[in-house]
Amino acid sequence: MDDLEKAILIMFDESGTVDSELKQKAKDYCDKIKEEQAICSVCIEKLCFSNLVQVQFWCLQTLHEVIRVRYSSMNLDERYLIRKSVFSIACFGGFDDKSTVRVLEGPAFIKNKLAQVLVTLIYFEYPSVWSSVFVDFLSQLSKGAMIIDMFCRVLNALDEELINLDYPRTPEELAVAARVKDAMRQQCVAQIVRAWYDIVSMYRNSDEELCASVLESMRRYISWIDIGLIVNDAFIPLLFELVLVGGLSEQLRGAAAGCLSAVVSKRMDPQSKLPLLQSLQMRRVFGLVAQDSDSELVSNVAALLTGYAVEVLECFKRLNSEDAKGVSMELLNEVLPSVFYVMQNCELDSTFSIVQFLSGYVATMKTLSPLRETQLLHVGQILEVIRSQIRYDPMYRKNLDILDKIGREEEDRMVEFRKDLFVLLRNVGRVAPDVTQIFIRNSLATAVGSSSNWNVEEVEAALSLFYAFGESINGEAMRTGSGLLGELVPMLLSTRFPCHSNRLVALVYLETVTRYMKFVQENTQYIHMVLAAFLDERGIHHLNVNVSRRASYLFMRVVKLLKLKLVPFIENILQSLQDTVAGFTSMDYTLKELSGSEDGSHIFEAIGLLIGMEDVPPAKQSDYLSSLLTPLCQQVEALLRNAEVLTPEEAPQKFANIQQIIVAINSLSKGFSERLVTASRPAIGLMFKQTLDVLLQVLVVFPNVETLRSKVTSFVHRMVDTLGASVFPYLPKALEQLLVDSEPKELVGLLILLNQLICKFNTLFRDILDEVFPAIAGRILNVIPVDALPSGPGSNTEENREMQELQRTLYTFLHVITTHDLSSVFLSPKSRSYLQPIMQLLLFTSCKHKDILVRKVCVQIFIRLIRDWCAMPNGEEKVPGFQSFIIENFATNCCLYSLLDNSFEFRDANTLVLFGEIVLAQKVMYEKFGNDFLVHFVSKGFPAAHCPQDLAETYCQKLQGSDIKALKSFYQSLIENLRLQQNGSLVVR
């Protein structure tokens, strides 16, 4: 063994006994040898005399690399040596009499590598240099199975490396592939096909594996060779015979089916394709798919039949003659029962899309109105396919019921997978509505009659079909219960499935009941059945918490829809929900469980909607509300009384309880209108005020518990809507408490609450705003930076994001104040000291903020303040110093200099809106300040921006005119001109 062989063995060693350093040295040595001029001769010699497969593999790999990289620089002798040697090895085992090693006797990976080397030579040399390669190979096939096997490997490698378009190819590779295929068609394809036929005929009884390999190679080539070479009286009968003969191996029979699939799928003109498909007499193989569905043969035959059906359907769509359509439909009708069977029972080829094929077939049915008996039968089979496809696999039943990680993934996958199938169901429903409804009724009836808990998946699928079917029914049909709906909905409502305890079944049942609620709205005799479904163990009292919470939400939607019709049932409903209501506020919730939109609080919203109606007698209404609010408030009061003795272990649970109570009361209040609680039944309003009093104590006792502050703030929002102006006496205390030790995130919540109050009450809110504004302004100006927030790497911190949010909300707050006639708040004696810092902040932001929409808001605030605080020219100054601040600072910095920066992008839609506001600001300044503004702007601002005199004069004319559009257009072109002349010396002050 020489040094090279030793190095190769070390390099490929996988025993773990060779250290990495030695391996690296061996690799370096081998790489160095690769660079030698005579490397090809070295490799060929090793191939002929070394029995070590590692050495053989390295030599073949090296030859492959060297030919690919150095072929153009090799001399003719070297190329000839490689060609002759490699071909000799591929056909016999050596290339001279001294050779002792036969590579073809080695493992498959060596033979595949050898085939790859041969294909690389074909890439460069066929047909111009080595035109006889295929013919030479064909002449060697008589030597036996070893050479035939090698020939198949070469053809397979040629397909994979060059011809097959399933792999991405460079333009050069595509050109070479075209060259090789053209030459092969002209020179040797017919001989290769003849060889395939002869080999399969000769070896079918003695070497089935070899025959399967030959057919596998042949399958790859059918797509681009002359189809007449395969579709003839010799080859097609042979292929069908191989598929149908029971004694042969599945591998061989499956390979023959694969060739027939390639024939069927060959791209052809439909007028030629249809006779070909007809001539195949495919019915011969229909029976094979009913055998063992897991076998390789069945999956190959399934691919053949589905491919055949796709092609026949394509012919039907593309051919216009009645005869051709008739033939296509006949062939389709013949194959479809087998295709439907395949769809339900077999693993399908990944290239075949069930939904795509069935959608295409259903689309053709639209042209066949009225449907014949055969098509109606097919509709039923399509519906069966849909039902079988949407069924969950029972192996996931437990995962889906407890909804662990696997269950969640499977549910998400199925939701996505079902989308297209439900679209298909709707299309089938439109083509054959009667058949679809009968199918759904029968599915539901079978599910209803199902006595075993093992039918979870069937029941869930039947209910899902009924749910999805509802999407295609219009409102009128739903209300009247047209078709079979009048029978199906009562059947659904009266059903208790044995597997109702299963999460999926329970959820889809409730969703389906909710979907058909418009029918119940018109047919009120079924209301008691709806209530039973939601209130018993099928819904809100289901053992699975996910089901009971979803039931609470859906019940709330049902109450919204039926509302008045439920008044007679209120007593019974409240009685049924007593335990649920009590459980909601006393359960051992963790804070994590409290999050999310379905936390169970919807049951309180449903109760609020029921008892908040004016149709409920006042005394009853007071009793109902008191029976709910009193115990909830008492729980909070008890927790507040014992706050001092709370241990750190108890605190999270107690906070969670208070949080739940606030959420419950909040949800409950949504059912009561402002008119009812303030005008028609003030006693109800008084109860909510007392509740607000109790809950505001939470802020006093627990001022630093963020979750509680957030929930109380949310409740104050709610009470603003519910109690209207009668909430005013409670606001100063609430706002004062919300300001205590508030962080930026909490300040945002407070500003949003104030925005709601200002928008709802306008100037009525002035006195309270006058009181609280100084404290709010002081707190915010204390934490917010005057200049820009940090940006760039490392600036995307939680603290920075909260500060940005506070900044944005502050500008919205100031905008809301000014646009609701409350700008006088800034001028009150207590707030006056904050006026200058607020103006400076607004000025900086209007000029430099990165968010264009924030800048626009600031400009709008200035426009409004100019209108509010400034009289007409020469009038008395309302706010001393404000006019000069606007003219000297805002006008030049925001309305001129900030626009000259290249970051002001006129092509951006938001920027154009900001620009419009800036032009409007100039117009308003001219209206209010007259020449004071114009002289300063033109004589101080324009010269600093190097504005020519003639353009400055045109600007004055446009500003003094009445056409704001013309002013805007001129000012944009002026700014763009000034930018071209600007020397970068302007700085926004």
Side-chain angles (χ1 to χ4, degrees):
M1 191 187 296
D2 63 19
D3 290 345
L4 176 60
E5 290 177 343
K6 285 177 186 169
I8 291 168
L9 288 176
I10 289 168
M11 191 169 64
F12 285 123
D13 183 87
E14 290 180 357
S15 65
T17 56
V18 179
D19 69 56
S20 56
E21 197 177 331
L22 184 58
K23 271 195 171 190
Q24 189 58 47
K25 277 184 183 174
K27 184 179 181 303
D28 294 343
Y29 178 77
C30 292
D31 289 346
K32 193 177 174 188
I33 297 281
K34 276 185 191 178
E35 299 305 316
E36 290 181 6
Q37 191 62 38
I39 183 62
C40 293
S41 301
V42 172
C43 289
I44 289 162
E45 188 180 346
K46 294 282 176 208
L47 285 169
C48 295
F49 295 106
S50 176
N51 272 314
L52 299 165
V53 289
Q54 295 96 324
V55 173
Q56 290 175 359
F57 182 79
W58 184 86
C59 290
L60 288 166
Q61 193 173 42
T62 302
L63 274 175
H64 182 234
E65 286 174 24
V66 169
I67 297 166
R68 274 173 53 218
V69 176
R70 295 194 216 160
Y71 183 81
S72 57
S73 62
M74 288 178 183
N75 61 45
L76 293 176
D77 291 341
E78 195 175 1
R79 291 179 188 176
Y80 175 73
L81 172 72
I82 297 170
R83 185 189 318 138
K84 181 183 175 221
S85 309
V86 172
F87 186 72
S88 296
I89 292 167
C91 289
F92 189 67
F95 74 98
D96 59 27
D97 297 337
K98 298 173 191 169
S99 301
T100 58
V101 173
R102 300 289 181 265
V103 173
L104 295 197
E105 292 168 353
F109 71 89
I110 295 289
K111 290 182 273 193
N112 288 340
K113 202 71 194 172
L114 177 59
Q116 205 177 21
V117 174
L118 261 166
V119 166
T120 312
L121 287 168
I122 290 168
Y123 183 98
F124 289 111
E125 298 194 339
Y126 182 77
S128 57
V129 177
W130 190 11
S131 60
S132 63
V133 55
F134 295 106
V135 177
D136 292 346
F137 226 129
L138 287 167
S139 69
Q140 299 289 322
L141 299 182
S142 58
K143 290 181 180 177
M146 217 177 275
I147 313 297
I148 294 168
D149 174 68
M150 192 62 217
F151 185 54
C152 290
R153 290 178 195 276
V154 171
L155 291 177
N156 292 350
L158 183 64
D159 178 64
E160 282 165 14
E161 301 284 317
L162 188 61
I163 293 172
N164 194 326
L165 293 178
D166 288 346
Y167 306 97
R169 305 289 186 201
T170 65
E172 184 196 347
E173 286 171 334
L174 291 170
V176 174
R179 183 192 80 208
V180 169
K181 288 196 290 186
D182 288 344
M184 286 180 74
R185 283 191 194 104
Q186 200 172 345
Q187 184 204 30
C188 59
V189 163
Q191 291 165 264
I192 291 172
V193 174
R194 181 72 212 182
W196 285 334
Y197 180 82
D198 291 341
I199 293 163
V200 174
S201 301
M202 187 188 301
Y203 285 92
R204 57 185 285 188
N205 296 320
S206 58
D207 194 338
E208 293 183 12
E209 196 176 332
L210 181 71
C211 292
S213 298
V214 169
L215 292 174
E216 171 57 27
S217 291
M218 174 174 140
R219 178 190 62 76
R220 295 165 179 257
Y221 283 73
I222 289 171
S223 66
W224 60 269
I225 64 175
D226 176 7
I227 196 64
L229 294 169
I230 308 294
V231 180
N232 52 49
D233 294 341
F235 232 132
I236 291 296
L238 174 63
L239 291 172
F240 272 106
E241 194 181 332
L242 292 172
V243 172
L244 292 163
V245 170
L248 297 175
S249 71
E250 289 220 338
Q251 187 189 1
L252 176 54
R253 296 173 72 188
C259 289
L260 288 168
S261 288
V263 168
V264 160
S265 305
K266 187 169 172 71
R267 292 174 69 177
M268 291 169 69
D269 172 70
Q271 283 171 323
S272 310
K273 186 68 167 281
L274 185 59
L276 184 152
L277 295 172
Q278 195 177 10
S279 72
L280 292 176
Q281 298 174 37
M282 198 60 77
R283 70 182 77 85
R284 289 180 276 180
V285 298
F286 291 170
L288 294 178
V289 288
Q291 297 176 7
D292 177 14
S293 61
D294 289 335
S295 76
E296 189 182 340
L297 172 66
V298 170
S299 91
N300 279 296
V301 175
L304 170 59
L305 293 180
T306 50
Y308 174 81
V310 166
E311 296 299 327
V312 173
L313 181 60
E314 200 56 31
C315 288
F316 179 86
K317 288 196 277 191
R318 291 174 63 192
L319 293 169
N320 294 321
S321 81
E322 285 303 313
D323 286 351
K325 280 198 175 296
V327 170
S328 305
M329 190 47 70
E330 201 176 307
L331 296 180
L332 206 51
N333 288 340
E334 192 177 66
V335 74
L336 276 175
S338 297
V339 172
F340 293 138
Y341 179 86
V342 161
M343 288 174 180
Q344 287 172 263
N345 299 286
C346 304
E347 282 293 317
L348 282 170
D349 181 353
S350 59
T351 59
F352 175 75
S353 164
I354 289 176
V355 175
Q356 211 175 333
F357 173 74
L358 293 179
S359 298
Y361 179 64
V362 170
T364 64
M365 283 190 181
K366 290 177 187 172
T367 65
L368 301 173
S369 187
L371 299 183
R372 300 196 183 105
E373 195 178 335
T374 310
Q375 272 94 41
L376 290 171
L377 197 64
H378 291 164
V379 168
Q381 288 174 306
I382 290 170
L383 292 166
E384 283 291 356
V385 169
I386 294 171
R387 182 168 63 180
S388 73
Q389 289 292 316
I390 66 166
R391 260 202 308 258
Y392 279 96
D393 189 328
M395 71 181 279
Y396 295 111
R397 184 179 300 167
K398 190 176 177 187
N399 306 96
L400 286 160
D401 199 28
I402 60 175
L403 205 60
D404 57 13
K405 183 175 181 290
I406 295 169
R408 211 169 278 114
E409 284 171 4
E410 177 60 11
E411 188 166 31
D412 291 345
R413 185 195 69 77
M414 191 58 113
V415 166
E416 198 54 42
F417 175 70
R418 284 176 163 188
K419 282 178 185 172
D420 291 339
L421 285 160
F422 285 149
V423 170
L424 176 62
L425 177 72
R426 287 202 295 277
N427 291 338
V428 173
R430 289 188 189 107
V431 170
D434 296 343
V435 176
T436 308
Q437 287 198 44
I438 290 167
F439 178 80
I440 286 171
R441 181 191 58 189
N442 293 344
S443 298
L444 205 58
T446 306
V448 169
S450 157
S451 58
S452 163
N453 196 36
W454 292 103
N455 283 322
V456 169
E457 290 74 28
E458 283 79 357
V459 171
E460 195 278 338
L463 288 167
S464 295
L465 283 173
F466 190 25
Y467 175 81
F469 178 67
E471 272 188 54
S472 58
I473 302 172
N474 63 43
E476 185 55 35
M478 185 81 84
R479 278 193 296 276
T480 57
S482 67
L484 293 172
L485 277 188
E487 178 188 339
L488 288 172
V489 177
M491 182 198 288
L492 178 75
L493 291 171
S494 60
T495 301
R496 292 168 189 265
F497 298 104
C499 55
H500 231 121
S501 59
N502 180 275
R503 185 186 70 86
L504 276 181
V505 170
L507 285 175
V508 72
Y509 176 80
L510 294 169
E511 297 283 356
T512 309
V513 169
T514 308
R515 168 154 279 179
Y516 290 95
M517 211 34 62
K518 282 182 181 169
F519 172 79
V520 177
Q521 214 176 356
E522 291 296 312
N523 299 272
T524 51
Q525 68 270 33
Y526 298 115
I527 285 179
H528 70 285
M529 294 167 86
V530 171
L531 293 175
F534 277 99
L535 298 174
D536 65 25
E537 69 285 350
R538 288 173 290 174
I540 289 163
H541 287 94
H542 198 281
L543 291 174
N544 186 308
V545 69
N546 292 310
V547 174
S548 60
R549 286 181 182 179
R550 183 69 181 163
S552 297
Y553 166 72
L554 293 173
F555 182 62
M556 180 268 292
R557 279 176 49 192
V558 167
V559 169
K560 270 185 179 175
L561 199 66
L562 297 178
K563 228 169 173 188
L564 277 175
K565 297 182 170 76
L566 294 176
V567 172
F569 301 93
I570 290 176
E571 294 271 4
N572 291 337
I573 293 170
L574 292 179
Q575 214 168 348
S576 293
L577 294 174
Q578 266 180 346
D579 56 340
T580 309
V581 166
F584 180 77
T585 54
S586 60
M587 271 175 70
D588 184 16
Y589 285 100
T590 64
L591 290 175
K592 189 178 176 187
E593 274 186 303
L594 292 174
S595 60
S597 59
E598 286 184 16
D599 55 5
S601 63
H602 290 107
I603 204 62
F604 287 90
E605 189 173 345
I607 292 170
L609 289 164
L610 280 170
I611 66 174
M613 290 185 277
E614 295 214 17
D615 300 72
V616 178
K620 282 273 189 193
Q621 196 170 51
S622 291
D623 286 349
Y624 292 148
L625 186 60
S626 175
S627 69
L628 288 156
L629 287 180
T630 305
L632 292 174
C633 288
Q634 284 170 349
Q635 282 184 63
V636 176
E637 285 168 331
L639 288 165
L640 295 176
R641 274 197 303 274
N642 299 320
E644 288 177 15
V645 294
L646 267 187
T647 65
E649 292 77 31
E650 289 176 311
Q653 177 59 46
K654 300 301 181 191
F655 295 157
N657 286 144
I658 295 175
Q659 196 178 327
Q660 282 295 88
I661 291 167
I662 300 170
V663 167
I665 298 172
N666 202 341
S667 299
L668 187 67
S669 68
K670 289 178 186 176
F672 293 83
S673 68
E674 184 182 336
R675 198 181 65 78
L676 182 132
V677 303
T678 55
S680 59
R681 298 180 187 177
I684 298 291
L686 183 61
M687 283 192 216
F688 280 117
K689 287 175 193 171
Q690 289 164 343
T691 304
L692 181 58
D693 245 340
V694 172
L695 296 186
L696 286 176
Q697 286 304 309
V698 173
L699 295 176
V700 178
V701 178
F702 301 116
N704 300 314
V705 182
E706 190 196 330
T707 52
L708 294 180
R709 284 171 75 109
S710 155
K711 287 287 179 271
V712 173
T713 305
S714 177
F715 185 64
V716 176
H717 275 289
R718 183 78 243 132
M719 288 299 100
V720 169
D721 279 342
T722 307
L723 296 171
S726 64
V727 80
F728 280 10
Y730 301 86
L731 290 176
K733 177 186 172 184
L735 296 170
E736 181 191 336
Q737 283 304 129
L738 288 170
L739 257 176
V740 174
D741 297 334
S742 50
E743 297 295 320
K745 193 176 175 182
E746 292 160 333
L747 284 169
V748 168
L750 177 59
L751 291 179
I752 291 170
L753 173 61
L754 288 164
N755 287 344
Q756 180 201 14
L757 288 160
I758 295 166
C759 291
K760 185 171 176 69
F761 300 115
N762 296 303
T763 52
L764 289 175
F765 189 61
R766 179 181 277 115
D767 292 346
I768 296 175
L769 189 61
D770 265 340
E771 280 299 309
V772 298
F773 184 78
I776 289 165
R779 182 86 184 95
I780 292 175
L781 290 171
N782 206 25
V783 297
I784 214 165
V786 179
D787 49 8
L789 287 163
S791 60
S795 63
N796 190 20
T797 61
E798 183 69 25
E799 187 184 349
N800 246 1
R801 286 196 296 274
E802 285 181 6
M803 203 59 79
Q804 284 170 346
E805 184 62 23
L806 176 58
Q807 206 182 48
R808 274 195 295 269
T809 315
L810 170 65
Y811 297 127
T812 306
F813 173 55
L814 297 174
H815 185 262
V816 168
I817 289 175
T818 53
T819 52
H820 286 78
D821 300 318
L822 291 167
S823 60
S824 60
V825 167
F826 300 139
L827 307 177
S828 70
K830 288 181 186 173
S831 301
R832 199 82 187 217
S833 59
Y834 298 112
L835 184 59
Q836 192 193 5
I838 287 173
M839 291 302 112
Q840 288 297 341
L841 190 63
L842 286 170
L843 176 63
F844 180 85
T845 307
S846 66
C847 297
K848 287 195 167 184
H849 202 283
K850 285 183 177 176
D851 188 331
I852 293 294
L853 295 176
V854 170
R855 283 169 72 173
K856 180 194 78 173
V857 165
C858 292
V859 173
Q860 287 173 331
I861 293 169
F862 275 124
I863 292 171
R864 187 67 194 225
L865 292 178
I866 294 165
R867 283 177 167 155
D868 282 1
W869 294 350
C870 302
M872 299 308 278
N874 307 318
E876 189 183 335
E877 199 168 14
K878 190 173 179 183
V879 183
F882 180 70
Q883 179 171 325
S884 59
F885 169 79
I886 290 293
I887 293 172
E888 291 167 21
N889 294 287
F890 172 71
T892 49
N893 281 308
C894 177
C895 300
L896 180 58
Y897 299 157
S898 76
L899 307 186
L900 294 172
D901 193 284
N902 286 326
S903 65
F904 197 90
E905 180 52 76
F906 280 106
R907 283 175 298 186
D908 174 67
N910 286 331
T911 306
L912 272 178
V913 174
L914 167 61
F915 180 70
E917 294 295 335
I918 287 171
V919 172
L920 176 62
Q922 292 167 60
K923 198 79 179 153
V924 171
M925 284 188 282
Y926 179 67
E927 285 167 10
K928 291 290 186 181
F929 311 140
N931 286 331
D932 286 353
F933 158 69
L934 196 56
V935 168
H936 187 277
F937 195 60
V938 173
S939 65
K940 296 280 173 68
F942 279 17
H946 311 292
C947 178
Q949 186 60 33
D950 58 328
L951 291 177
E953 287 171 8
T954 309
Y955 170 78
C956 294
Q957 291 166 10
K958 297 284 184 189
L959 183 70
Q960 290 164 328
S962 58
D963 189 344
I964 194 158
K965 261 188 175 178
L967 172 63
K968 187 177 172 184
S969 175
F970 169 76
Y971 198 55
Q972 182 174 335
S973 65
L974 173 64
I975 294 296
E976 286 168 341
N977 280 327
L978 294 179
R979 273 194 198 172
L980 296 173
Q981 302 168 40
Q982 194 197 120
N983 60 10
S985 61
L986 281 178
V987 178
V988 179
R989 294 168 186 77

